[in-house]
Amino acid sequence: MASGSDRNPIIIGGLPSQVPDFDPEETQEWLDSLDAAVDERGRERARYLMLRLIERAREKRVAVPEMRSTDYVNTIATKDEPFFPGNEEIERKILNATRWNAAVMVSRAQRPGIGVGGHIATFASSASLYDVGFNHFFRGKDDGKGGDQIFFQGHASPGVYARAYLLDRLSEAQLDAFRQEKSKAPDGLSSYPHPRLMPDFWEFPTVSMGLGPLGAIYQARMNRYMEARGIADTSDSHVWAYLGDGEMDEPESLGQLSIAAREGLDNLTFVVNCNLQRLDGPVRGNGKIMQELESQFRGAGWNVIKLVWDRSWDPLLAQDRDGVLVNKLNTTPDGQFQTYATETGSYIRDHFFGDDHRLRAMVEGMTDQQIQHLGRGGHDHKKIFAAYAAAKAHKGQPTVILAQTVKGWTLGPNFEGRNATHQMKKLTAEDLKRFRDRLHLPISDKELENGNPPYYHPGRDSEEIQYMHDRRKANGGYVPTRVVRAKPLPLPDEKAYAGAKKGSGQQKIATTMAFVRVLKDLMRDKEIGKRFVPIAPDEYRTFGMDAFFPSAKIYNPLGQIYESVDRELLLAYKESPTGQMLHDGISEAGCTASLIAAGSAYATHGEPLIPIYVFYSMFGFQRTGDQFWQMADQLARGFVLGATAGRTTLTGEGLQHADGHSQLLASTNPACVAYDPAYGYEIAHIVKDGLRRMYGENSEDIFYYLTVYNEPIQHPAEPSDVDTEGILKGLYRVKPGDKGEHAAQILASGVAVPWAIEAQQILADEWNVKADVWSATSWNELRRDAVEIEEHNLLHPEEEQRVPYVTRKLADAEGPKVAVSDWMRAVPDQIARWVPGTYQSLGADGFGFADTRGAARRFFHIDPQSIVLGVLTELAREGKVDRSLLKQAIDRYQLLDVAAAEAGEAGGDA
């Protein structure tokens, strides 16, 4: 064996293992002591001693490697459990009633002719975890503040409904309308936590797995942000996120743990329901998911509380003087524990306790039934209370409680711990009878044999129901409850938009910079300026927003405890505990979670925030599209900026950076109002109207998506007769044609409007065509208007038929219509069926690539000369010009030669 000096130094737990030995003799004495402990008392005793030494070393602030995983027992020792202040007998009766009603609700939803499904087993496993929270911890909103923010596990929604029924918050008719939102309106209940569908009940949508934990982290951070900036008192708000152990496999579930630890979010508690099963079977059949999660959370800097066993294990663990029981618990895989959950006491006696005489001796005085009912900690109210109390008391770190449960707990042998239990939705009469007996409910066999099983309510004046009301009153009101207390904001006057409406003069700027200038003026507004929340994924400089650093500053709860390398510069990087800008690093998922938390602050805390999330457009809707649906469901509001938009504007970046489709993705989200503006004055009107619609009187639950570009152009001043309605509805004539024999119309959006205007000039000068140019500020809104009108006309044939805006707008426009944009053709094709006359679209279909802007546009045939060809082609189709002109145009402009195109405008990151 190599000597210490010969061995290579390594790092263990972030600490160097090779340090000088100043007293080898003393060192040897310690090593000899360890050897003696191993020789005389065994490895288990030696291990215990080492763990105690590490524990004491940490108490004395001696730097030693972090323990990533601890024994498979409860973190909180029995002697350290606090007094349980509740009446456990009453709480057990409440829980039994809730369990029954949750299961019956789902079972009745499977009645013949309905069959809409539901999930029973998830809530059955986590019912006690919720019940202790409802009775003792979850704070409501009756004090006028935000209360606690609770992210309920999506599949557990039946249990939340069942509890609300006992409290008279929901009726029996509503329980029977579970998952029948339209056919049983207004009684219908949504399948999962959906605020948009039940806006007075649910607060946070969570059933898209992984988004709940991600959202909870950034909600806790937003609470701190709002308090630091003096916008809302969130000091009493605690964020609880209820998750599944299978759900933790989602990258979003664990991907942002570090930010919660880094910022010391001790206002956040994760409760992971470790029933050891995912949808199809064991989460880690050959391993131990609780141990794995413990290591991951500890490594990320979280406080970890394991809640593994209920009180029935306490006497056995107290006997375990040599650690044989703990060792057995440590080495038994999850798949085997699931088998024990479904087996008899005699099987467990033989297979778990039977292979060691010391283990057998521990259970000699226990009956098989007692062994069978050795339970898991997530079903023990006192143990759960101890874990929650410890989590709330812990300071400086977020806490995760890993609670072991049995999936389908109390539902009977056909459900408990079975691999298929997640998909089981219907209880037979025999299942119901066993379930009733297990819960000790006064329901007769006859009621269970004839038709649908009944709901159970002990009576409004019963001790249990009064207890429930008293507990919620003591904790600040009923949850979940969504309350909107925010008042409309005073909107900025025209001065805030004057700069954008003046145009850029001789200077060329990109529409990204045009938007940033509008935002800068809005943030100066004395009334609402402080409510803007700029958010970016490490791209503020790319988007020209580094000018905000000195004044708005970047939010960091620690401030800036170092001297910035650019501190002498005018635009120095500045962090502050009261900073306004959120810099979430290279994480679009984290930024979108911040966007959602800020955008729903008007409801969560009664204080509106106006998030401005600016991202690389290709990495927004595409990468985090699921979160934008979450945003829509949560009724969040704000502005989303897809910067560096377009398939041909990022000349050097190439395929994965070239966005030609995010507008199409945005069109699929019903809450998203999407625009593709060309000029600064258009942006001014869109932003002004967005603030009115989202934050003014009669506010709407929508959010805005604007695609802006990094290509510098000259922005004209706003025309005196500007068509504001057309800008907002999606289409207006930006430049009429002034000469030519043949009429045509060019519809363009965003960066393509200047190409269209150049094509207009070429058509007039060289082809005798008079073409009007239209700015299509929103293809999506034009389509949305037309679809709504078609739906109305379909259902009201007896009324005068309405006409879509785009049809009316182009009704008198002569000649063929040619649409062009830096998007794939499917974007402008959205309006094709409602455009009168001949219609053709040009677009950037296919993959992007690295080249000059001119070459890229020639390749996709969307440059000015290609637009000319498109217009001539449609005129030839209508018989207005000879088809021979088309070959002439192709040859004249060398449209088949990409290299023949001019390079176009270069540069322009913002």
Side-chain angles (χ1 to χ4, degrees), residues 312-334:
S312 64
W313 286 87
D314 289 347
L316 298 179
L317 289 166
Q319 300 176 48
D320 190 29
R321 300 186 181 278
D322 53 7
V324 64
L325 177 57
V326 170
N327 182 63
K328 184 68 173 179
L329 297 173
N330 287 341
T331 56
T332 301
D334 286 353

Side-chain angles (χ1 to χ4, degrees), residues 404-579:
Q404 185 169 224
T405 65
V406 175
K407 196 162 189 176
W409 183 242
T410 72
L411 290 175
N414 292 331
F415 284 80
E416 290 182 355
R418 300 294 176 181
N419 283 339
T421 190
H422 187 80
Q423 305 301 332
M424 297 168 68
K425 310 173 190 305
K426 184 77 174 177
L427 292 96
T428 67
E430 290 306 311
D431 289 331
L432 289 165
K433 290 175 183 178
R434 282 193 293 263
F435 188 31
R436 173 205 59 192
D437 294 342
R438 180 83 172 266
L439 302 179
H440 306 289
L441 298 178
I443 300 172
S444 68
D445 285 355
K446 185 177 180 181
E447 291 176 281
L448 302 179
E449 293 168 352
N450 299 324
N452 289 316
Y455 296 111
Y456 173 71
H457 197 297
R460 290 182 175 84
D461 297 327
S462 66
E463 186 179 32
E464 300 96 302
I465 301 304
Q466 292 306 309
Y467 184 92
M468 293 176 74
H469 285 295
D470 289 346
R471 294 313 306 148
R472 289 317 314 153
K473 183 177 180 181
N475 283 289
Y478 299 101
V479 292
T481 299
R482 183 177 179 275
V483 180
V484 179
R485 297 191 179 100
K487 296 180 180 179
L489 294 178
L491 301 179
D493 58 25
E494 290 298 323
K495 293 180 182 178
Y497 308 101
K501 293 181 179 182
K502 288 180 181 178
S504 64
Q506 296 303 309
Q507 182 186 12
K508 288 185 175 182
I509 65 170
T511 46
T512 300
M513 184 54 68
F515 176 85
V516 168
R517 290 181 176 181
V518 172
L519 177 60
K520 190 172 184 179
D521 289 337
L522 288 171
M523 288 174 65
R524 290 172 175 164
D525 186 88
K526 293 181 180 179
E527 294 288 342
I528 69 168
K530 70 175 184 178
R531 296 185 181 274
F532 285 92
V533 184
I535 305 167
D538 199 27
E539 293 278 13
Y540 280 122
R541 294 187 191 277
T542 302
F543 306 140
M545 299 176 70
D546 47 344
F548 293 2
F549 290 165
S551 54
K553 300 182 179 62
I554 295 165
Y555 171 71
N556 188 323
L558 299 178
Q560 194 165 30
I561 59 178
Y562 61 92
E563 284 190 326
S564 174
V565 66
D566 60 0
R567 62 190 179 280
E568 302 298 334
L569 300 180
L570 181 62
L571 303 183
Y573 191 87
K574 291 187 178 180
E575 299 176 87
S576 168
T578 58

